[in-house]
Amino acid sequence: MKYKFLAALAFTGFLFTSCDEDKNKTMAEDADTALVVDEFDYQVAQFADIKVLRYQIPGFEDLTLKEQKLVYYLTQAGMEGRDIMWAQNYRHNLAIRHALENVYTTYAGDKSGDDWSNFETYLKRVWFSNGIHHHYSNAKLKPGFSKEYLTMLLKETVTTLEGEALDVIFNDKDAKKVNLSKDADIVKESAINFYGPDVTTADVEKYYDAIKVDSKEPIEIGLNTRLVKIDGKLVEEVYKSGGLYGEAIDKIIMWLEKAQGVAENEKQGVTLGLLIDYYKSGSLDTWDDYCISWATSTEGNIDWINGFIEVYNDPKGYKGSYETVVQIKDFDMSKKMAALSKDAQWFEDNSPLMAEHKKKEVKGVSYKTVIVAGEAGDASPSTPIGVNLPNNNWIRQTHGSKSVSLGNIINAYSNAGGSGRLAEFAHDEEEIVLEKEYGGLADKLHTALHEVVGHASGQINEGVGTPKETLKRYKSTIEEGRADLFGLYYLMDPKLQELGLVEDWKKTGTAAYDGYIRNGMIGQLVRLELGDDVEEAHMVNRQWVSAWSYERGLEEGVIEKVTRDGKTYYDIKDYVKLRAIFGELLKETQRITSEGDYEAGKNLVEDYGVKVDQKLHKEVLDRNSKFKSPPYSGFVNPMLVPKMDADRNITGFNVEQPKSFESQMLDYAKNYGNLK
């Protein structure tokens, strides 16, 4: 699971994440927010609703040459699988990308008009989203040029793109990468390429319901396959060497074998060996063996995430998206945050969960702040800021998990400049002052609490299926909301000050609550087109948490809806009671998860998390229109360039920044284009 950054908007006051969900899950980026700014140029490009940033790799130069080689080999392994994410996102993505890139690099005609400018913007958006669907809203990107214009470009550059792959850019087909509408056939009406185009939701449910797995130690069925119909029969195409995406996977294996040769210790080498075996065989039993070894491999300065991991892009929650993150340990920040993992059992024991839903023993939760050295697949260009893995619940309960905060990514967001939205959407000056002084710390702590104690908390009742089986399409948003609520409950607790994590727990908690409600009720609406429902799992969870809490406290006036000069604000009147409400909702959300109560989960999400007050939405969009900073951000990766001696032996590395977003995307296409 990942906590995903959804674009630094200052009025939020929160790092919105994708627990690698949020990938989650964002960092406040208002110019007025108190930030430590350095002289490094974090800005790369800005287009449409996107801002592209760059990050540094502090501490890389302090690693030994062997450790630097390990980092390099792991980043190369990750990049070799980049095309897999494109292919997974949509069946025509690679054909479209190849055609658009050829036009971009070879067209010699007139580039002075709006059509060419709009073509460039469209290509950049496609690059950023790893395909033709928006990386966050899942809606198909709309080109600002005509089919006739693109056809002319294709002809002029002798580029082939025809049939459905050409038509789909301009028509209404495959309009949503992931369609979770309650009345939709969520498999057939989702463009995601985890299933054949003629496979239905009923097909998927029947197929996987028939597979019997160990009830106590279940494999993640379907995680690394594409389910298709061949001659009317459902068949799984396995991602492995010699199988689906085998050309890219063979390159991944090659670099992983090099990495294994420079492993820091024996356990790390064994873990890499299991990952190699998994890619060769496609065996999910081997994947579990790898996840156990990885979760318990805690020594060394280098770590990684690599595989088909997060299932948010699958409407049924089976299929993992390809993702890699290579990490260097940040020793100072990891030491500061170790208190959370050390006291994980205290947080569990003192939570408002029902006694039967609490874990008797919270196993092996490690929390570290890390320095990212490279990302690919589902983690790039849009990146998580926090990750908690592995996802298989029985492994987490029995062997533990790793939670990491991506420190240099958060720092880059913080230093990337601001948008001025805080003053517009905050209710009063006191709220603004608290956000400036305490919002950044509240963000970091919420990420840590969400990942370390939130996702690690609670247990499923004996005999109840996994949330994927019981909660179905609502599994992801319920889980992200549950982790958010766990963090919110403890953000207003003196325990944080006792652990030395804050100097003033009340003010930090107040800033956290203000930011969460402000974003959940108002702020995140700027990411939606007028008339749209909320669909992305993390946005849905923030809305249902906020809206349910607002309604629950109406009678006692816990949160007041204020209209002033035609503008809407939400003002928290009683933070103690709001904490109790968060605790009540956390208890119910855990009950839903533990008991597999599909109807209660469905009602919670559909009643509070999906529909948008259109009058309020229009007002928010109008108020936001004066701000030019885009609502979404992502990154180019620094480049590790080997230095060689006369015998072609690596003697060191230079860390170089790409010249531009476009140059890095074209470089990736040239050097890591392993799929057609």
Side-chain angles (χ1 to χ4, degrees):
M1 286 159 280
K2 68 185 167 195
Y3 210 50
K4 188 88 170 181
F5 184 97
L6 303 186
L9 294 179
F11 54 76
T12 64
F14 265 88
L15 294 164
F16 308 137
T17 65
S18 126
C19 298
D20 195 274
E21 195 138 342
D22 154 61
K23 323 157 101 259
N24 281 270
K25 122 344 234 142
T26 81
M27 170 65 77
E29 70 173 8
D30 192 278
D32 297 328
T33 301
L35 300 171
V36 178
V37 180
D38 59 41
E39 296 181 357
F40 180 75
D41 184 8
Y42 290 92
Q43 304 272 3
V44 177
Q46 183 171 316
F47 50 88
D49 57 354
I50 300 297
K51 179 159 57 177
V52 180
L53 310 174
R54 57 171 62 91
Y55 62 90
Q56 302 178 86
I57 315 177
F60 180 79
E61 67 281 1
D62 298 326
L63 298 175
T64 66
L65 178 59
K66 183 180 179 183
E67 290 170 333
Q68 290 180 346
K69 287 181 179 180
L70 177 59
V71 172
Y72 174 69
Y73 295 148
L74 289 171
T75 56
Q76 292 300 301
M79 290 310 309
E80 296 289 4
R82 174 178 180 257
D83 277 0
I84 296 175
M85 187 72 246
W86 284 77
Q88 288 182 314
N89 275 342
Y90 183 54
R91 63 188 180 277
H92 294 307
N93 271 341
L94 286 172
I96 292 171
R97 191 192 81 198
H98 293 152
L100 297 183
E101 288 173 342
N102 193 61
V103 168
Y104 183 77
T105 55
T106 62
Y107 180 61
D110 180 21
K111 299 180 181 180
S112 62
D114 289 342
D115 279 338
W116 179 258
S117 176
N118 291 336
F119 171 81
E120 288 184 312
T121 297
Y122 180 74
L123 175 55
K124 292 174 189 177
R125 297 184 77 191
V126 170
W127 277 330
F128 191 90
S129 295
N130 294 317
I132 66 169
H133 296 88
H134 194 278
H135 74 286
Y136 202 72
S137 75
N138 288 316
K140 190 163 64 173
L141 300 172
K142 297 178 181 178
F145 51 88
S146 67
K147 184 177 180 181
E148 289 71 25
Y149 180 72
L150 179 56
T151 301
M152 180 274 292
L153 293 176
L154 295 170
K155 183 178 180 181
E156 289 288 321
T157 56
V158 195
T159 304
T160 300
L161 184 67
E162 56 192 7
E164 187 179 57
L166 172 62
D167 295 340
V168 77
I169 296 174
F170 302 96
N171 63 26
D172 295 328
K173 189 175 181 180
D174 296 329
K176 285 277 188 181
K177 183 172 74 174
V178 182
N179 187 345
L180 294 177
S181 300
K182 64 179 181 180
D183 297 323
D185 183 319
I186 59 175
V187 170
K188 193 171 181 61
E189 295 180 49
S190 292
I192 194 77
N193 194 29
F194 292 138
Y195 303 99
D198 53 349
V199 175
T200 67
T201 301
D203 290 332
V204 175
E205 291 175 348
K206 182 178 180 181
Y207 183 86
Y208 287 115
D209 285 348
I211 296 177
K212 304 301 180 184
V213 297
D214 186 327
S215 61
K216 292 185 177 180
E217 297 183 355
I219 60 172
E220 296 176 83
I221 58 171
L223 184 70
N224 62 336
T225 66
R226 180 173 183 258
L227 186 64
V228 300
K229 282 184 179 178
I230 298 178
D231 297 328
K233 182 180 179 180
L234 289 168
V235 177
E236 284 188 304
E237 300 175 329
V238 182
Y239 313 154
K240 65 174 183 175
S241 176
L244 189 59
Y245 310 139
E247 302 94 327
I249 290 172
D250 286 340
K251 295 287 186 67
I252 295 171
I253 291 170
M254 178 191 73
W255 288 106
L256 289 178
E257 288 175 339
K258 291 178 180 290
Q260 188 182 24
V262 291
E264 296 178 90
N265 51 64
E266 183 179 356
K267 180 65 178 288
Q268 198 178 70
V270 169
T271 303
L272 283 166
L274 286 168
L275 181 58
I276 292 166
D277 290 345
Y278 163 66
Y279 274 126
K280 288 180 176 179
S281 68
S283 166
L284 290 174
D285 289 311
T286 303
W287 172 249
D288 279 355
D289 291 339
Y290 161 73
C291 288
I292 293 168
S293 186
W294 177 83
T296 55
S297 178
T298 56
E299 300 299 320
N301 297 329
I302 314 302
D303 208 345
W304 66 88
I305 294 164
N306 188 305
F308 306 104
I309 298 171
E310 301 295 347
V311 298
Y312 301 112
N313 285 323
D314 179 3
K316 291 299 297 177
Y318 289 103
K319 311 297 179 184
S321 295
Y322 176 77
E323 173 183 5
T324 70
V325 182
V326 181
Q327 312 155 3
I328 303 168
K329 188 182 296 183
D330 183 328
F331 296 97
D332 181 53
M333 284 304 300
S334 294
K335 184 177 179 180
K336 290 178 181 178
M337 288 298 184
L340 286 179
S341 41
K342 181 180 178 181
D343 278 299
Q345 192 66 55
W346 183 92
F347 287 102
E348 182 80 353
D349 293 343
N350 290 276
S351 73
L353 306 186
M354 297 167 65
E356 60 267 33
H357 297 157
K358 293 181 181 181
K359 283 182 179 174
K360 301 298 183 290
E361 184 180 1
V362 180
K363 290 283 187 70
V365 180
S366 68
Y367 184 79
K368 293 181 175 66
T369 297
V370 299
I371 302 302
V372 172
E375 300 177 307
D378 199 28
S380 180
S382 178
T383 173
I385 57 166
V387 181
N388 180 271
L389 293 170
N391 284 331
N392 197 327
N393 194 55
W394 76 264
I395 295 177
R396 297 163 65 86
Q397 290 187 2
T398 307
H399 300 280
S401 62
K402 289 180 181 177
S403 289
V404 295
S405 173
L406 310 187
N408 58 332
I409 296 296
I410 294 173
N411 182 66
Y413 279 130
S414 301
N415 282 280
S419 58
R421 291 180 173 95
L422 177 59
E424 176 63 40
F425 291 95
H427 173 259
D428 51 40
E429 184 63 26
E430 180 182 3
E431 190 174 319
I432 295 171
V433 170
L434 281 171
E435 170 61 29
K436 290 178 181 178
E437 188 169 355
Y438 296 97
L441 178 58
D443 293 341
K444 291 181 180 180
L445 284 173
H446 192 239
T447 302
L449 288 163
H450 176 110
E451 296 293 349
V452 179
V453 293
H455 283 308
S457 71
Q459 61 184 4
I460 297 170
N461 291 359
E462 188 172 350
V464 175
T466 65
K468 177 167 57 181
E469 297 166 330
T470 59
L471 302 181
K472 301 180 181 180
R473 72 179 70 183
Y474 303 107
K475 174 259 183 184
S476 293
T477 190
I478 290 290
E479 174 57 24
E480 292 309 311
R482 190 184 70 85
D484 262 6
L485 285 161
F486 209 98
L488 288 167
Y489 183 76
Y490 281 113
L491 278 166
M492 190 65 79
D493 195 298
K495 180 71 172 180
L496 298 184
Q497 194 160 333
E498 177 189 322
L499 293 173
L501 297 174
V502 299
E503 293 183 0
D504 190 321
W505 65 269
K506 286 186 179 179
K507 289 183 178 179
T508 304
T510 298
Y513 282 20
D514 285 341
Y516 197 90
I517 295 299
R518 187 167 64 243
N519 181 57
M521 298 298 285
I522 296 178
Q524 65 178 10
L525 296 180
V526 304
R527 299 188 180 95
L528 301 176
E529 298 288 337
L530 189 62
D532 285 354
D533 289 340
V534 186
E535 294 187 35
E536 197 279 332
H538 299 81
M539 290 181 69
V540 171
N541 94 241
R542 284 191 291 274
Q543 178 164 299
W544 63 253
V545 168
S546 300
W548 189 95
S549 300
Y550 168 70
E551 183 180 283
R552 184 70 178 86
L554 269 178
E555 187 174 331
E556 296 183 277
V558 177
I559 305 173
E560 180 182 354
K561 184 178 181 180
V562 178
T563 302
R564 185 174 65 237
D565 299 327
K567 298 180 179 180
T568 302
Y569 306 88
Y570 286 87
D571 184 27
I572 301 172
K573 295 296 187 182
D574 193 324
Y575 293 88
V576 175
K577 288 182 179 177
L578 180 55
R579 186 196 186 209
I581 289 172
F582 284 148
E584 181 183 348
L585 184 54
L586 170 59
K587 179 180 179 181
E588 171 61 9
T589 306
Q590 182 62 58
R591 185 199 66 78
I592 290 170
T593 302
S594 295
E595 298 178 3
D597 190 341
Y598 173 81
E599 287 301 321
K602 173 185 174 182
N603 292 338
L604 178 61
V605 174
E606 295 292 346
D607 291 348
Y608 296 96
V610 176
K611 295 300 178 183
V612 177
D613 180 329
Q614 293 303 309
K615 182 179 178 182
L616 175 62
H617 192 187
K618 184 179 186 305
E619 174 204 316
V620 170
L621 292 178
D622 289 343
R623 292 165 66 183
N624 186 64
S625 62
K626 62 184 176 184
F627 302 110
K628 304 306 179 186
S629 181
Y632 300 99
S633 298
F635 290 87
V636 291
N637 287 303
M639 300 176 294
L640 303 179
V641 181
K643 294 184 286 187
M644 304 281 195
D645 63 17
D647 296 321
R648 303 296 294 169
N649 296 311
I650 295 176
T651 60
F653 293 88
N654 291 322
V655 180
E656 300 178 1
Q657 293 291 339
K659 295 179 181 179
S660 66
F661 178 60
E662 300 94 311
S663 66
Q664 181 154 91
M665 295 299 100
L666 291 172
D667 179 69
Y668 284 171
K670 177 182 178 181
N671 294 315
Y672 308 106
N674 295 317
L675 302 178
K676 303 302 180 186

